[in-house]
Amino acid sequence: MAITLTEAAARHVTRYLSKRGKGLGVRLGVKTTGCSGLAYKLEYVDDAGDEDIVFENFGVKLLIDPKSLAYLDGTELDFVREGLNEGFKFNNPNERDRCGCGESFRV
C-alpha cells in the first residue's frame, strides 16, 4: 500500500510549511459527504497521530489514517496550475465515479 506526492505537490507543501514556520506535513483522508458518497480532506499537520500511517516523498511527510487508506491506496497527490486556478489534484485509481460538481467521488 502506498500514497505518493509528485515533486510539484511536495514543493508546494514545503513552501507553505516554511511560510507557516512549523509543520510536520500533510494529512490526507476521506469523509462521507456529497452526492457520490466520499470527499477528500487535506490538512496541514504539526504532529502525527498514534494511528497515522506515514509516507514520505521528496522530504515531505504524508499522513493517512488507517480507515482512509483502503480508499486512497495507490493515490498520487499532485499540485497543478490551470489558467488562473491552482490546487491539489488527487489521481486515485480506486475512483469509479465522480459527481458533476467535482466535490465527491465513489469507489
Side-chain angles (χ1 to χ4, degrees):
M1 294 192 154
I3 313 293
T4 58
L5 286 116
T6 64
E7 191 172 353
R11 273 195 316 267
H12 180 77
V13 170
T14 300
R15 276 194 309 267
Y16 184 81
L17 292 176
S18 178
K19 286 180 186 177
R20 259 181 104 214
K22 64 178 180 174
L24 176 65
V26 179
R27 178 173 288 120
L28 175 60
V30 295
K31 61 182 176 179
T32 304
T33 189
C35 44
S36 290
L38 297 169
Y40 296 106
K41 58 182 185 175
L42 184 67
E43 62 186 356
Y44 292 96
V45 293
D46 296 328
D47 299 306
D50 291 338
E51 294 184 356
D52 283 333
I53 300 164
V54 181
F55 299 95
E56 189 169 339
N57 296 105
F58 303 103
V60 173
K61 291 186 184 334
L62 185 61
L63 295 82
I64 312 291
D65 68 90
K67 291 179 184 177
S68 295
L69 186 58
Y71 301 107
L72 298 172
D73 185 32
T75 297
E76 175 189 67
L77 181 61
D78 195 5
F79 189 80
V80 296
R81 288 190 173 100
E82 296 172 349
L84 298 175
N85 298 318
E86 64 180 17
F88 287 103
K89 181 179 180 185
F90 303 91
N91 299 312
N92 185 346
N94 304 304
E95 271 189 32
R96 298 294 171 241
D97 194 22
R98 191 172 262 270
C99 72
C101 66
E103 180 76 19
S104 61
F105 68 97
R106 184 170 20 136
V107 292

